[in-house]
Amino acid sequence: MTVTRRPVVAGWFTGDDEADFRLLGTRCTACSSVFFPRADDFCRNPGCQGDGELAEVPLSPRGRVWSCTDGRYRPPAPYVSDPDTPWEPYTLVAVELDAEAMVVLGQAAPGVTVADLPVGSEVEVVPGILNEDDEHVWTTWHWRPVPAEVTR
Amino acid sequence: MSADVAVLGAGMHPWGKWGRSFVSYGRAAAREALADAGLDWRDVDAIVGADTVRGGYPGYVAGATFAQALGWQGARVTSVYAACASGAQAIGAARAQILAGLADVVLVVGADAAPKGFFAPAGGNRPDDPDWLRFRVLGATNPAYFALYARRRMALHGDTVEDFAQVKVKNAAAGALNPRARYRKRVSAEEVAASAVVADPLRLLDICATSDGGAALVLSSVEFARRHGRSDPVRIRAVSTVTPVYPKTVLDLPDIATDSAVAVSPVAHSFRASIARAAYEEAGIGPEDLSLAEVYDLSTALELEWYEDIGLCPMGEGAKLVREGATALGGRTPVNASGGLASFGEAVPAQAIAQVCELTWQLRGTAGDRQVAGARVGITANQGLFGHGSAVVAVR
Ligand SMILES: [Zn+2]
């Protein structure tokens, strides 16, 4: 059987390699509000007078850690994990995006721990794998620290 | 005309893991509240049930389910769902009927039979449900959100895990004095520190358990209370059930992102703070008038945030209050004199009603060993999934 790569949710991100991977939101053409997860039916700004369209926009690829934590216990379904294997904690990170003025939650890349993600530090979005089954590799987004630039 | 409604009766089924239906807990709490009010169920004009999602259809139509369990008697019925704020919405609906003159006496009931472990979304494949999505895509449990707030507090305000543990120590000490609490044992800071990490930085003893439980209130017009021989009842003076104001800029259950603030500047106060502000405004009081408060301590760190949100101290100074003992029994403004969720656990639709039961007993001066001396004014604060606010002000 062929195993195909498939996003865990259609339309939330694009690009398959690190260079062009971006989260996708929508922007109201009337009031410029941004939505993630994408809003396609209506704008949620109560002061928006326009019948604006919601146009797809890529979100900023980098942001700063708002906060983070990890999951030391296996989450319930619909999170997919094999109950017969030992639980491997993963890290969750909430990221502030400046240009969009919003906070987006995501899993951190494998191996990244809470200690790697001090509040305010810079992170970037990269493609990741959520889980695999017989037919699919379910893809998602991950955040990982941006290496500090070498000071001259 | 007074905008107050009277609390004629309060009742509770003890919290715990009892293995029975939510209906039996609600019925037991209702019968205790009716007995406390000195009323027969057949004297009640209307019943409002706070819904639970865990009983199938009976849970979704809790008002009618409790009415059937008590024996059909023709009362007007309402069922409300607002997650953790369901109880406050039930009280709000009852109060509105009384103040509108549609009913003299209303019974409010909430009860739950919660599963052990993490709360999970309803089953099935439902990618249009934000609650389902946060579990499927991120595995983000409720404690994960509490932990994000906790770590943010540590970074912004310098809170420590020892500060968080002190909240558990305080609430467990109060709960040890409450016969209706599930956990009636004092807990030390060392025991908190020795418990397993659930979501860094929060440990098992920082996070409330899921529980079974039930709570009920009999509310009436002040005029009815007077005719019934209650000249000085505990009165509900305000019920806040506000929603957030766009853009909501604090990450919150079950959302995986905040609203964007590019088009509209956020209001000065957070959603949680706006819940209490609406109640204060309606009641015409301020935090300085409080004798005590019952707040939703889903986690120890979250209780510190509520101190700030209900105005007991400026933003960022919550930990100072618990360090000083200001919010312990005997302190300036005791918080969670009942023992809080730390001692009760979470029985979702019952909890906001249970908070008002505690205010009722405290304001009557019948809270036993955990009595706050001379209590005259109390507030409850709570927040429900999907943007439901909940606060009640009660006075004597
Ligand atoms: Zn708009």
Side-chain angles (χ1 to χ4, degrees):
Chain A
M1 196 179 292
T2 326
V3 177
T4 52
R5 291 176 71 84
R6 198 162 152 192
V8 61
V9 187
W12 282 17
F13 47 85
T14 188
D16 219 12
D17 53 53
E18 290 188 5
D20 62 359
F21 185 86
R22 299 288 282 272
L23 289 173
L24 295 176
T26 53
R27 182 184 292 272
C28 173
T29 54
C31 76
S32 75
S33 286
V34 179
F35 299 99
F36 181 84
R38 56 188 304 144
D40 288 296
D41 294 338
F42 46 84
C43 171
R44 294 201 300 268
N45 172 5
C48 181
Q49 300 302 323
D51 246 342
E53 283 174 38
L54 290 150
E56 184 172 284
V57 285
L59 302 188
S60 301
R62 288 188 176 189
R64 293 191 180 277
V65 174
W66 184 83
S67 190
C68 65
T69 183
D70 57 16
R72 303 284 181 97
Y73 288 81
R74 196 185 302 276
Y79 193 72
V80 179
S81 72
D82 178 0
D84 295 327
T85 60
W87 173 244
E88 288 286 337
Y90 61 91
T91 302
L92 274 175
V93 52
V95 179
E96 274 186 292
L97 304 180
D98 266 356
E100 292 81 6
M102 70 195 300
V103 174
V104 175
L105 194 57
Q107 290 188 341
V112 174
T113 70
V114 166
D116 303 319
L117 298 165
V119 170
S121 64
E122 194 173 23
V123 290
E124 62 189 3
V125 72
V126 289
I129 292 168
L130 184 62
N131 67 291
E132 305 179 33
D133 55 35
D134 291 345
E135 292 159 57
H136 295 105
V137 171
W138 295 98
T139 61
T140 188
W141 72 96
H142 283 156
W143 297 100
R144 71 173 181 204
V146 174
E149 284 181 45
V150 180
T151 50
R152 299 165 198 236
Chain B
M1 188 189 106
S2 165
D4 289 359
V5 299
V7 181
L8 282 189
M12 214 186 266
H13 186 286
W15 259 232
K17 290 281 190 186
W18 304 100
R20 295 207 302 279
S21 148
F22 82 95
V23 185
S24 63
Y25 308 135
R27 182 176 181 275
R31 288 173 63 88
E32 186 181 317
L34 287 163
D36 185 36
L39 288 174
D40 187 282
W41 158 234
R42 287 165 295 186
D43 300 329
V44 171
D45 302 319
I47 180 167
V48 186
D51 297 348
T52 171
V53 297
R54 276 172 288 277
Y57 265 108
Y60 297 140
V61 292
T65 301
F66 295 134
Q68 184 188 38
L70 290 161
W72 295 121
Q73 51 86 321
R76 179 191 294 266
V77 63
T78 307
S79 295
V80 298
Y81 182 71
C84 290
S86 298
Q89 289 208 0
I91 292 167
R95 180 179 76 140
Q97 290 177 11
I98 292 165
L99 293 181
L102 298 172
D104 274 337
V105 185
V106 185
L107 174 64
V108 179
V109 192
D112 210 355
K116 195 170 154 49
F118 293 125
F119 282 139
N125 192 44
R126 294 175 305 101
D128 55 351
D129 172 357
D131 197 44
W132 186 89
L133 281 167
R134 56 132 169 169
F135 280 95
R136 173 67 187 100
V137 180
L138 301 172
T141 60
N142 292 10
Y145 287 79
F146 313 152
L148 290 169
Y149 308 144
R151 178 160 303 282
R152 179 88 179 153
R153 288 192 65 84
M154 294 170 78
L156 254 56
H157 308 310
D159 290 14
T160 65
V161 291
E162 289 78 19
D163 294 327
F164 301 156
Q166 284 310 313
V167 176
K168 176 69 175 188
V169 171
K170 170 184 78 70
N171 288 352
L177 305 175
N178 190 341
R180 298 161 195 273
R182 174 178 177 184
Y183 302 105
R184 298 202 55 205
K185 198 168 92 37
R186 285 173 169 271
V187 170
S188 69
E190 291 72 27
E191 286 171 290
V192 180
S195 65
V197 175
V198 175
D200 189 327
L202 297 178
R203 294 174 178 274
L204 206 52
L205 292 183
D206 284 302
I207 294 167
C208 77
T210 58
S211 287
D212 297 356
L217 292 166
V218 176
L219 305 181
S220 79
S221 64
V222 173
E223 178 53 34
F224 180 95
R226 199 171 289 131
R227 288 203 308 272
H228 196 66
R230 305 284 184 91
S231 56
D232 184 27
V234 170
R235 295 159 191 244
I236 289 178
R237 186 148 287 174
V239 182
S240 161
T241 57
V242 294
T243 50
V245 173
Y246 183 88
K248 183 161 69 103
T249 57
V250 176
L251 189 67
D252 212 349
L253 287 159
D255 295 330
I256 66 172
T258 63
D259 292 333
S260 159
V262 284
V264 182
S265 298
V267 292
H269 302 282
S270 71
F271 172 45
R272 267 191 279 272
S274 74
I275 296 168
R277 287 168 68 88
Y280 287 136
E281 191 173 321
E282 191 168 274
I285 65 152
E288 64 282 358
D289 300 313
L290 293 178
S291 311
L292 78 159
E294 289 282 310
V295 306
Y296 218 48
D297 56 324
L298 293 166
S299 85
T300 50
L302 187 62
E303 178 170 316
L304 300 180
E305 191 168 313
W306 278 117
Y307 295 171
E308 298 152 14
D309 291 335
I310 67 172
L312 295 184
C313 62
M315 193 58 68
E317 294 184 15
K320 189 161 159 263
L321 284 196
V322 80
R323 282 180 216 137
E324 290 169 348
T327 55
L329 285 175
R332 192 164 65 244
T333 315
V335 176
N336 288 333
S338 66
L341 296 180
S343 305
F344 275 76
E346 212 181 347
V348 171
Q351 196 62 41
I353 299 169
Q355 290 180 316
V356 179
C357 288
E358 177 67 11
L359 290 192
T360 301
W361 295 319
Q362 289 284 351
L363 297 177
R364 285 178 180 171
T366 60
D369 293 339
R370 65 185 192 283
Q371 179 65 46
V372 175
R376 304 296 296 181
V377 180
I379 193 171
T380 69
N382 158 316
Q383 181 190 0
L385 213 65
F386 299 104
H388 293 106
S390 158
V392 176
V393 172
V395 300
R396 183 79 188 273

